[in-house]
């Protein structure tokens, strides 16, 4: 079963750890709030339905970025039609980290369960992050087997 959630607003990536003068680390407020929004979006739709710790998980993450108002009509159309893709901040890996940490303990017990992530950045009329969470009950599907059977680069 695929569970899908939408987190409205401009996509943000996981912030770097911050350090106090005494050497302690903490997570910045923007990251904490973004992770909380992801967890709340999941809980609002699925409640306490959590994937068990022994079950592998796959994620699809689509970050939809706001189209600048200053763009021409043609440029806006090209962005909506995916002829122009966002090469802007936030980095896709940091967006994935934020989503995985936001779902940690909420959609699945631990993010170590995530074995496949497919992610992309696009422009959207309404900025948001769309996330699909899927229990991998059977890796027999052709798509999943292709991803999992690739040999690592040497």
């Amino acid at each position: 079963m695929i569970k899908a959630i939408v987190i409205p607003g401009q996509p943000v990536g996981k912030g770097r750890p911050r350090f106090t003068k005494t050497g302690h680390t903490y997570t910045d407020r923007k990251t904490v709030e973004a992770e909380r929004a992801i967890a709340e979006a999941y809980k609002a739709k699925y409640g306490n339905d959590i994937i068990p710790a022994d079950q592998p998980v796959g994620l699809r993450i689509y970050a939809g970025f706001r189209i600048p108002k200053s763009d021409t009509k043609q440029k806006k159309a090209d962005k909506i039609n995916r002829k122009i893709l966002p090469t802007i901040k936030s980095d896709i890996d940091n967006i994935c980290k934020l989503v995985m940490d936001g779902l940690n303990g909420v959609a699945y017990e631990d993010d170590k369960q995530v074995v496949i992530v497919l992610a992309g950045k696009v422009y959207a009329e309404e900025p948001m992050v769309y996330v699909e969470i899927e229990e991998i009950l059977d890796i027999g599907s052709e798509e999943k087997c292709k991803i999992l059977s690739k040999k690592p680069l040497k």
Side-chain angles (χ1 to χ4, degrees), residues 1 51 55-59 113-116 134-140 144 148:
M1 175 178 151
I51 298 170
Q55 189 63 50
V57 174
L59 297 176
Q113 293 171 246
V114 178
V115 297
I116 298 174
E134 181 178 8
E135 273 185 81
I136 300 179
L137 301 173
D138 175 15
I139 63 164
K144 291 174 189 161
L148 293 172

Side-chain angles (χ1 to χ4, degrees), residues 46-63:
Y46 298 103
N48 294 325
D49 188 12
I50 192 165
I51 298 170
D54 62 343
Q55 189 63 50
V57 174
L59 297 176
R60 287 180 201 83
I61 303 168
Y62 302 97

Side-chain angles (χ1 to χ4, degrees), residues 1-12:
M1 175 178 151
I2 296 175
K3 299 173 186 172
I5 59 170
V6 174
I7 302 94
Q10 186 75 349
V12 295

Side-chain angles (χ1 to χ4, degrees), residues 81-123:
N81 293 318
R82 312 294 191 252
K83 292 180 181 177
I84 299 174
L85 296 171
T87 55
I88 58 175
K89 294 278 185 183
S90 293
D91 298 353
I92 194 68
D93 61 322
N94 291 327
I95 294 168
C96 291
K97 286 180 209 173
L98 182 85
V99 169
M100 290 181 3
D101 287 348
L103 293 172
N104 200 27
V106 178
Y108 40 77
E109 290 191 28
D110 194 289
D111 56 3
K112 70 182 179 183
Q113 293 171 246
V114 178
V115 297
I116 298 174
V117 177
L118 299 173
K121 293 175 12 177
V122 297
Y123 283 105

